[in-house]
Amino acid sequence: MTKNRDSVPLLARDNNLRVKIRFRDLKLLVERFRLEESGPEVINWYIKQGFQYYGINRVEMRRRNITPGVLNTTIPNICEGQLPFHILCGFNHRDQMIDLNKDPFSYETHNLKEYQWIKNSRPYPNKPLIVNDDNIDSEGKITTYKNFQQNMGFMWRHADMGPSMTEFFSNQFMMVWNLPLCKCTGAHDHLPERGVMDLKLTFTEPVRNLDLIVMAIYDNKIKIDKHGVAETDFAI
């Protein structure tokens, strides 16, 4: 805003839709502070005492091809070595990658019947999570939706947030894994685990031109020595 201007035009291509917001009162709160000379000296002294450790969250994105024509498949080594504390997986059709008229962030089920995480050769949960329960008498989709809410932290802290069940199975479908048993989704630190994560998928129809998008979130640390040299506990 320029000086002495009390209105901001909101422009639109349609003249009938052009409106203005008029400010009748405007208050501006400014806080000033001055860095004391001793501040940098204290920080410099603190760093020179030894190694300093700073926790960070690191995000990795991957794309895994799903073999065309399969009904049952296991995507191996989604994550190996240090295990992330949070994993999100969704499906993308090839057309979403190359056609600008299609939304690349629309994640549908693509005829997925059920899925199951495999951590160090052990399945989690004990039974597959059902996505298509049309031909069975169960609450499979409800259980899968609750599992998504748990692993995203919505159930415990923000029950009114996140997609509805209809939206989830329509175009916001994600397969989610949270490593800590407390399902904190990174609210506090945990000791890292190592191993291998696989994902077992079962479809109702043969797969056609489908990729698996994987987002893995890791808990890592940066170590800084007294000379200011930084060292990470991970390699890219």
Side-chain angles (χ1 to χ4, degrees):
M1 295 187 298
T2 59
K3 187 177 180 180
N4 298 327
R5 183 177 178 183
D6 61 354
S7 63
V8 179
L10 303 179
L11 301 181
R13 294 182 179 179
D14 188 346
N15 292 331
N16 295 324
L17 297 178
R18 294 187 180 184
V19 297
K20 291 184 178 181
I21 297 178
R22 182 175 296 275
F23 295 97
R24 299 188 181 275
D25 188 17
L26 184 63
K27 295 181 179 180
L28 181 64
L29 179 64
V30 179
E31 293 184 2
R32 293 185 177 183
F33 69 93
R34 183 170 61 90
L35 183 62
E36 299 291 343
E37 293 181 358
S38 59
E41 295 177 2
V42 171
I43 296 174
N44 189 44
W45 177 87
Y46 183 68
I47 291 178
K48 286 185 176 180
Q49 300 311 302
F51 291 110
Q52 305 300 317
Y53 296 88
Y54 301 91
I56 63 169
N57 288 339
R58 174 172 58 92
V59 181
E60 287 188 4
M61 296 287 295
R62 308 184 186 99
R63 188 177 70 179
R64 300 289 299 272
N65 175 255
I66 301 177
T67 305
V70 299
L71 289 173
N72 300 278
T73 185
T74 298
I75 310 298
N77 300 343
I78 285 183
C79 301
E80 59 179 333
Q82 180 192 355
L83 293 180
F85 71 85
H86 209 187
I87 307 176
L88 298 91
C89 294
F91 297 118
N92 251 358
H93 198 273
R94 299 287 171 75
D95 290 346
Q96 293 176 263
M97 306 284 188
I98 59 177
D99 192 342
L100 296 178
N101 294 319
K102 296 189 176 181
D103 185 0
F105 301 105
S106 176
Y107 302 107
E108 301 178 7
T109 59
H110 291 282
N111 301 314
L112 181 67
K113 181 180 180 181
E114 60 187 30
Y115 70 93
Q116 191 172 30
W117 298 99
I118 302 176
K119 174 188 171 186
N120 297 332
S121 302
R122 296 185 59 183
Y124 290 89
N126 294 330
K127 295 182 179 180
L129 293 167
I130 298 174
V131 178
N132 186 339
D133 58 3
D134 293 342
N135 299 323
I136 57 177
D137 184 17
S138 76
E139 297 182 351
K141 295 179 71 172
I142 297 177
T143 302
T144 301
Y145 178 63
K146 288 182 177 179
N147 179 271
F148 166 78
Q149 287 185 310
Q150 274 188 341
N151 284 279
M152 290 298 294
F154 297 142
M155 183 166 288
W156 310 116
R157 296 179 292 174
H158 308 288
D160 58 341
M161 297 183 64
S164 66
M165 185 171 173
T166 301
E167 292 171 334
F168 175 67
F169 286 105
S170 175
N171 59 6
Q172 299 185 39
F173 176 74
M174 297 292 290
M175 296 167 283
V176 184
W177 163 270
N178 192 256
L179 182 62
L181 295 177
C182 65
K183 308 297 182 185
C184 69
T185 63
H188 50 263
D189 293 335
H190 291 267
L191 291 175
E193 294 187 32
R194 302 190 66 84
V196 178
M197 288 291 297
D198 306 324
L199 183 59
K200 183 179 180 182
L201 305 171
T202 301
F203 296 87
T204 58
E205 297 182 10
V207 174
R208 293 288 184 269
N209 298 326
L210 205 61
D211 286 339
L212 182 72
I213 306 299
V214 180
M215 182 172 73
I217 307 173
Y218 295 83
D219 234 344
N220 287 109
K221 289 182 174 61
I222 294 179
K223 181 176 69 173
I224 302 179
D225 65 15
K226 62 182 181 180
H227 302 294
V229 179
E231 179 182 344
T232 64
D233 63 348
F234 63 92
I236 301 178

